[in-house]
Amino acid sequence: MTDLHIKALDLAQEGKWHEAHQLVEHQSDQTSCLIHGYLHRVEGDLSNAKYWYRRACEEMPDNTLAEELRCLYKVAKSVKKRQQL
């Protein structure tokens, strides 16, 4: 699953919102929900973004999109590292 997360983040970083959204929109794990929320922040749909952050049991962050993208990469890489143990 974490390869999917990293791929979605890579696509988001490349400005490929639709493709990134397609990867996570049907996933329900916490990291996918965080990425999904981030993507809706990028889109400007803040009410939908808040919904997805709540599904991840988090509040929508008060940081820049660039900062959030960096945080999400850290989350995805941390999950991947834990799964490899």
Side-chain angles (χ1 to χ4, degrees):
M1 181 70 69
T2 53
D3 289 337
L4 177 139
H5 299 139
I6 292 170
K7 177 67 175 169
L9 294 170
D10 289 345
L11 288 167
Q13 189 171 36
E14 295 168 10
K16 297 178 180 177
W17 186 95
H18 183 70
E19 293 90 338
H21 188 257
Q22 284 184 314
L23 287 178
V24 296
E25 70 181 331
H26 298 294
Q27 306 302 320
S28 60
D29 62 281
Q30 184 181 27
T31 306
S32 291
C33 289
L34 290 170
I35 295 169
H36 201 159
Y38 164 78
L39 290 169
H40 283 291
R41 281 184 69 196
V42 170
E43 179 189 32
D45 185 353
L46 298 183
S47 64
N48 205 355
K50 288 177 185 177
Y51 167 80
W52 285 102
Y53 278 101
R54 281 193 310 271
R55 287 222 24 209
C57 299
E58 303 249 345
E59 294 290 324
M60 188 169 76
D62 186 25
N63 58 6
T64 68
L65 293 172
E67 290 169 334
E68 182 65 0
L69 185 61
R70 283 192 297 275
C71 290
L72 290 170
Y73 268 113
K74 287 179 186 176
V75 167
K77 289 175 182 178
S78 174
V79 170
K80 185 171 184 169
K81 189 174 184 177
R82 284 195 311 269
Q83 288 178 347
Q84 292 173 340
L85 294 177

